[in-house]
């Protein structure tokens, strides 16, 4: 039955119009209600009738696409990027690969996959890609997602919000580890599957069969294997390839302020949440600690090149800091309390994406950053997992802190001796380590000084308008980026849109390739030949783009893209020290993987905005959201691209698209 998933799910998705939810990291998360019943104890967020990992064993396996399908899709994605001669060359190389070494590698990959039924074919290579990358995780890897403010403004005060976030985070962790967190399920028919009756039934179905039970009522459980890395986890730098470390026994929180590092227990010896008033007292103590900022803040080392940081970490250990480093690594998570207040969205984006480098530990699985004026965000390390687990955590924390806060404005902090409960970490540094920290700070400052972030809000229409026109909102946003880039730079370039494959066991992501022959034709008609096409012709082109983008989205969500398959085949060849086939050394392969437009979307009631840096020096990092009646973009670039002009071009493109949908001719 698992093999029926793609067709059945695609048909349902087509009917329900829910594709955008599945393809984004949000995965329709904002449409669902998690709590089966309110927790009877303050220790848990809720107590799910269905155990958290109930579906995990029976999740379908990530399919390996047929080689001929992968190469057909690859060539289709290459077509708008290449001239005729280049395309003919690439086509020949693809045919040669398919008939020769590619066929052999594919067969080996399939055989290997059959022997590893506990995981997916992409999981190992994907971990390896992230952990072997030697560039700094700052800007190159870690994204951020900022929280919406609490509507009750007095709850945004830094100490109150920080205390409530910490308490809710511990409750989330306890709910997860007790198996009481509602499983992550994509409901296509919530009236049938998201009911107490169905949950009471499915909990008695053996976990080896439970997925099929959900599938029968059009519900698709999602992989939750990444969740155990959320807490007490850190990426540890090692020469050549980093390691992931988790210690679930640790009970303390890492807090950073002014570049100083503090720890205190937030879980007591019996495994219970420490009294919220006590946590408040400890955080108040840290916020009023007069210790000056260190001359050599250790946190900045986590922004270094990974090999450089690995070498310096070895020196830190040799200098007697092993125990304190272990305390940092094993902490539940990192809470960064910033001294600054935020001026605007752009300031928030810079602060949450990179900050000043000193008040962060970028290697923690995630950090909650809280500014002086109560703006909050999550910055997360990407190797261990994708947005799905982090966004679920963020949604639950936002809901819990806004609906059931445990401390309130004016709440008195507990009269406890925080000076003995809170420990400020002090590291032994020699001149070599001090020099390393100084150099890391210089490198950090140089890197972030080159980054520009700008934002745009298009207020003349959004999801509702587009759905009335029977167009995919995501397809229209992506088309606007293609048009915007063409208007600014006169060309079509490699574009990456992330899509979750969490519907499969140990699924990670697949790539949607939004630059297509359809978007190229449509963009040229709108941008270069506005007077040469009737309104009806332009509307027909928009429909064609939407239809094809919908197909690409369905394929990617079902594990039927081409990027991960080709990546896994190359990884296999490399692991056997084989010479790479010319398909991989073809300049066209390098070009399509040089993603000038790197894009990702999510919408959620908890998230205000999200962002990331470009993935290439001459690229844009495009975070966007299509809302009911407006479209927002938060975009980053380096000096070789003008982000302000790009956003103006995208805005103009959206104006043109909505004008045409209203039946107006382009001027």
């Amino acid at each position: 039955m698992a093999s029926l998933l793609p067709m059945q799910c695609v048909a349902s998705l087509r009917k329900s119009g829910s594709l955008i939810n599945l393809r984004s990291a949000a995965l329709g998360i904002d449409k669902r209600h998690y709590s089966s019943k309110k927790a009877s104890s303050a220790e848990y967020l809720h107590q799910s009738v269905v155990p958290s990992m109930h579906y995990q064993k029976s999740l379908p396996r990530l399919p390996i696409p047929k080689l001929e399908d992968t190469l057909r899709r690859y060539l289709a994605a290459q077509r708008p990027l290449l001239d005729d001669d280049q395309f003919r060359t690439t086509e020949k190389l693809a045919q040669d690969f398919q008939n020769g070494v590619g066929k052999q590698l594919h067969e080996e990959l399939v055989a290997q996959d059959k022997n590893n039924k506990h995981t997916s074919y992409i999981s190992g290579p994907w971990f390896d890609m992230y952990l072997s990358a030697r560039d700094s995780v700052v800007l190159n890897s870690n994204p951020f997602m900022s929280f919406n403010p609490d509507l009750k403004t007095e709850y945004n005060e830094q100490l109150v919000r920080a205390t409530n976030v910490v308490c809710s985070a511990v409750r989330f962790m306890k709910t997860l580890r007790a198996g009481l967190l509602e499983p992550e399920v994509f409901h296509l028919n919530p009236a049938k599957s998201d009911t107490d009756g169905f949950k009471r039934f499915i909990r008695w179905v053996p976990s080896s069969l439970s997925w099929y039970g959900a599938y029968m009522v059009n519900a698709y459980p999602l992989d939750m294997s990444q969740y155990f890395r959320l807490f007490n986890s850190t990426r540890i730098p090692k020469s050549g390839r980093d390691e992931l470390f988790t210690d679930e026994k640790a009970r303390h929180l890492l807090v950073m302020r002014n570049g100083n590092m503090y720890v205190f227990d937030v879980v007591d010896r019996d495994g219970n949440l420490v009294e919220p008033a006590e946590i408040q007292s400890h955080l108040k103590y840290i916020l009023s600690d007069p210790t000056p900022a260190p001359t050599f803040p250790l946190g900045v080392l986590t922004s270094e090149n990974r090999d450089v940081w690995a070498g310096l970490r070895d020196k830190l250990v040799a200098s007697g800091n092993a125990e304190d480093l272990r305390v940092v690594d094993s902490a539940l998570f990192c809470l960064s309390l910033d001294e600054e207040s935020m001026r605007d969205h752009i300031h928030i984006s810079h602060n949450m994406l990179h900050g000043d480098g000193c008040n962060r530990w970028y290697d923690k699985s995630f950090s909650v950053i809280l500014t002086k004026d109560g703006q909050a965000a999550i910055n997360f390390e990407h190797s261990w997992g994708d947005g799905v687990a982090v966004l679920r955590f963020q949604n639950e924390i936002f809901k819990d802190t806004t609906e059931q806060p445990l401390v309130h404005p004016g709440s008195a902090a507990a009269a406890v001796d925080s000076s003995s409960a809170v420990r400020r970490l002090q590291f032994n540094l020699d001149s070599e380590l001090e020099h390393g920290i100084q150099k890391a700070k210089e490198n950090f400052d140089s890197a972030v000084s080159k980054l520009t972030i700008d934002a745009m809000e298009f207020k003349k229409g959004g999801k509702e308008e587009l759905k009335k026109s029977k167009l995919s909102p995501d397809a229209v946003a992506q088309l606007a980026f293609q048009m915007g880039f063409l208007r600014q730079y006169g060309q079509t370039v490699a574009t990456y849109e992330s899509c979750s494959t969490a519907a499969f066991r140990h699924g990670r992501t697949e790539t949607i390739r939004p630059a297509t022959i359809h978007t190229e034709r449509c963009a040229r008609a709108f941008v270069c030949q506005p007077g040469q096409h009737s309104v009806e012709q332009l509307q027909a082109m928009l429909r064609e783009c939407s239809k094809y983008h919908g197909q690409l989205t369905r394929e990617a969500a079902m594990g039927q893209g081409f990027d991960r398959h080709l990546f896994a085949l190359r990884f296999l060849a490399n692991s056997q020290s084989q010479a790479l086939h010319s398909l991989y050394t073809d300049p066209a392969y390098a070009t399509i993987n040089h993603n000038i437009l790197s894009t990702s979307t999510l919408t959620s009631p908890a998230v205000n905005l999200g962002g990331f840096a470009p993935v290439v020096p001459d690229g844009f990092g495009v975070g966007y959201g299509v809302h009911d009646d407006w479209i927002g973009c938060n975009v980053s670039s380096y000096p070789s691209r003008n982000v302000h002009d790009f956003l103006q071009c995208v805005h103009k493109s959206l104006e043109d698209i909505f004008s045409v949908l209203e039946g107006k001719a382009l001027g």
Side-chain angles (χ1 to χ4, degrees):
M1 191 176 283
S3 62
L4 290 174
L5 167 73
M7 290 322 297
Q8 186 74 11
C9 189
V10 165
S12 308
L13 286 165
R14 203 176 275 140
K15 275 183 254 168
S16 72
S18 298
L19 268 171
I20 181 65
N21 293 334
L22 187 58
R23 69 131 312 275
S24 77
L27 288 149
I29 215 158
D30 47 328
K31 300 274 170 71
R32 285 169 284 148
H33 307 286
Y34 289 111
S35 310
S36 297
K37 55 181 178 178
K38 287 285 172 242
S40 53
S41 140
E43 295 297 312
Y44 303 115
L45 293 179
H46 55 243
Q47 296 186 1
S48 173
V49 174
V50 185
S52 306
M53 305 306 271
H54 188 55
Y55 298 108
Q56 196 66 26
K57 259 189 196 164
S58 58
L59 282 175
R61 302 199 60 227
L62 183 68
I64 299 177
K66 290 177 180 162
L67 185 60
E68 55 270 30
D69 289 345
T70 285
L71 292 167
R72 173 176 53 75
R73 290 171 182 138
Y74 171 66
L75 290 171
Q78 284 284 19
R79 186 61 277 208
L81 307 179
L82 304 175
D83 66 28
D84 290 348
D85 286 346
Q86 290 168 327
F87 184 73
R88 271 194 292 273
T89 303
T90 298
E91 203 173 24
K92 280 195 193 106
L93 292 172
Q95 281 163 357
D96 184 64
F97 183 71
Q98 185 178 322
N99 298 329
V101 71
K103 189 177 178 211
Q104 183 192 332
L105 285 168
H106 176 77
E107 283 166 7
E108 283 180 50
L109 185 67
V110 169
Q112 207 177 66
D113 187 52
K114 276 185 181 148
N115 291 333
N116 290 282
K117 291 190 172 162
H118 62 286
T119 188
S120 70
Y121 79 92
I122 200 60
S123 184
W126 212 239
F127 273 118
D128 190 79
M129 175 200 70
Y130 270 117
L131 295 171
S132 301
R134 299 292 83 195
D135 288 334
S136 165
V137 295
V138 182
L139 303 187
N140 297 299
S141 178
N142 289 26
F144 83 90
M145 297 189 289
S146 74
F147 284 90
N148 274 316
D150 193 318
L151 291 175
K152 304 182 295 297
T153 51
E154 65 275 20
Y155 280 84
N156 294 317
E157 192 271 323
Q158 190 179 26
L159 176 59
V160 172
R161 196 169 200 191
T163 308
N164 281 321
V165 165
V166 170
C167 293
S168 294
V170 174
R171 280 152 51 83
F172 180 98
M173 179 198 78
K174 292 203 61 191
T175 310
L176 171 68
R177 289 185 179 165
L180 297 171
L181 188 74
E182 187 86 3
E184 190 71 25
V185 178
F186 182 69
H187 297 280
L188 281 172
N189 187 353
K192 268 190 175 178
S193 58
D194 201 8
T195 65
D196 288 344
F198 177 74
K199 288 170 187 174
R200 282 196 297 272
F201 158 73
I202 200 71
R203 69 171 297 181
W204 296 110
V205 175
S207 61
S208 56
L209 299 170
S210 55
W211 181 88
Y212 301 100
Y215 165 85
M216 298 312 282
V217 290
N218 238 347
Y220 296 89
L222 303 181
D223 179 74
M224 292 179 71
S225 61
Q226 295 172 10
Y227 279 60
F228 87 98
R229 290 266 188 215
L230 266 170
F231 298 99
N232 305 100
S233 291
T234 294
R235 174 174 173 164
I236 294 183
K238 298 280 181 183
S239 181
R241 186 184 191 274
D242 294 353
E243 287 173 6
L244 293 173
F245 167 86
T246 304
D247 175 9
E248 291 190 0
K249 291 195 277 300
R251 297 183 283 117
H252 60 278
L253 175 72
L254 169 67
V255 183
M256 297 187 73
R257 177 175 166 262
N258 268 337
N260 289 306
M261 302 166 80
Y262 307 82
V263 291
F264 64 86
D265 285 352
V266 287
V267 175
D268 68 19
R269 290 180 195 286
D270 299 322
N272 299 318
L273 171 69
V274 166
E275 281 298 320
E278 237 175 274
I279 291 173
Q280 184 182 6
S281 174
H282 299 339
L283 291 174
K284 187 178 179 182
Y285 171 80
I286 291 168
L287 281 167
S288 56
D289 180 22
T291 305
T295 314
F296 300 101
L298 206 67
V300 78
L301 290 178
T302 62
S303 74
E304 253 296 8
N305 166 285
R306 304 306 294 177
D307 282 337
V308 172
W309 171 208
L312 289 166
R313 187 183 163 104
D314 288 345
K315 291 189 174 69
L316 276 166
V317 170
S319 302
N321 299 295
E323 192 41 53
D324 279 354
L325 283 170
R326 189 180 169 87
V327 166
V328 171
D329 296 335
S330 61
L332 256 74
F333 61 94
C334 176
L335 172 68
S336 291
L337 298 171
D338 285 358
E339 292 294 282
E340 259 185 302
S341 291
M342 299 291 99
R343 292 183 301 276
D344 53 28
H345 276 46
I346 307 302
H347 191 192
I348 291 170
S349 292
H350 277 289
N351 191 61
M352 304 314 190
L353 183 61
H354 56 77
D356 67 357
C358 303
N359 206 42
R360 302 284 183 271
W361 196 268
Y362 301 104
D363 288 355
K364 284 302 285 178
S365 56
F366 73 90
S367 298
V368 174
I369 301 160
L370 246 158
T371 62
K372 198 76 177 164
D373 54 345
Q375 291 287 348
I378 290 178
N379 178 299
F380 68 97
E381 197 282 307
H382 220 323
S383 64
W384 65 271
D386 307 302
V388 181
V390 180
L391 188 65
R392 170 71 187 277
F393 170 72
Q394 186 155 359
N395 280 327
E396 293 278 11
I397 296 311
F398 183 74
K399 187 174 189 293
D400 197 50
T401 55
T402 53
E403 293 178 11
Q404 304 179 71
L406 295 181
V407 302
H408 311 278
S411 290
V416 292
D417 180 12
S418 290
S419 62
S420 61
V422 177
R423 177 159 79 92
R424 182 165 60 84
L425 302 180
Q426 289 173 283
F427 294 87
N428 303 319
L429 303 177
D430 59 20
S431 58
E432 196 177 352
L433 285 164
E434 288 176 351
H435 175 72
I437 291 168
Q438 213 171 334
K439 190 87 185 90
K441 179 69 172 126
E442 286 166 18
N443 292 341
F444 173 89
D445 289 343
S446 168
V448 301
S449 71
K450 297 184 178 79
L451 187 78
T452 304
I453 298 176
D454 204 353
M456 176 214 81
E457 291 183 355
F458 176 81
K459 297 286 193 167
K460 297 177 187 175
K463 203 183 289 183
E464 285 177 0
E465 194 78 18
L466 294 170
K467 284 188 171 172
K468 273 185 212 154
S469 303
K470 296 195 165 57
L471 294 177
S472 148
D474 191 55
V476 169
Q478 289 289 343
L479 177 61
F481 304 144
Q482 295 299 316
M483 280 188 197
F485 197 89
L486 181 70
R487 191 181 298 278
Q488 189 180 8
Y489 293 106
Q491 63 180 134
T492 297
V493 290
T495 308
Y496 180 105
E497 180 180 6
S498 177
C499 179
S500 174
T501 50
F504 301 94
R505 189 183 313 157
H506 292 193
R508 292 287 308 234
T509 58
E510 182 52 272
T511 309
I512 300 167
R513 290 293 183 170
T516 68
I517 51 169
H518 306 287
T519 60
E520 186 187 33
R521 191 181 302 141
C522 188
R524 288 201 179 280
F526 271 76
V527 175
C528 310
Q529 312 142 349
Q532 295 176 30
H533 301 272
S534 68
V535 169
E536 291 74 22
Q537 285 173 320
L538 293 172
Q539 287 175 342
M541 286 185 202
L542 290 173
R543 283 194 296 275
E544 192 56 46
C545 288
S546 176
K547 186 180 160 194
Y548 191 66
H549 187 81
Q551 180 191 324
L552 293 179
T553 302
R554 284 188 291 277
E555 287 172 354
M558 294 303 123
Q560 294 291 329
F562 68 83
D563 280 87
R564 300 299 176 265
H565 188 194
L566 287 181
F567 177 86
L569 294 174
R570 187 183 62 175
F571 182 84
L572 186 59
N574 279 333
S575 68
Q576 297 171 350
S577 304
Q578 279 186 32
L580 283 178
H581 184 270
S582 316
L583 176 91
Y584 292 111
T585 54
D586 177 16
Y589 184 78
T591 301
I592 202 169
N593 286 295
H594 185 87
N595 292 299
I596 288 172
L597 287 170
S598 179
T599 73
S600 187
T601 182
L602 56 85
T603 50
S604 148
V607 176
N608 183 13
L609 75 163
F612 49 93
V615 297
V616 292
D618 57 340
F620 288 114
V622 183
Y624 66 101
V626 184
H627 306 272
D628 286 344
D629 51 8
W630 64 285
I631 297 169
C633 300
N634 196 34
V635 184
S636 61
S637 77
Y638 293 117
S640 64
R641 298 285 180 195
N642 185 323
V643 68
H644 180 71
D645 288 358
F646 174 68
L647 284 170
Q648 284 188 320
C649 291
V650 171
H651 196 279
K652 168 77 171 108
S653 302
L654 287 167
E655 280 181 349
D656 288 353
I657 291 168
F658 278 84
S659 291
V660 164
L661 291 178
E662 287 164 17
K664 296 177 191 159
L666 292 180

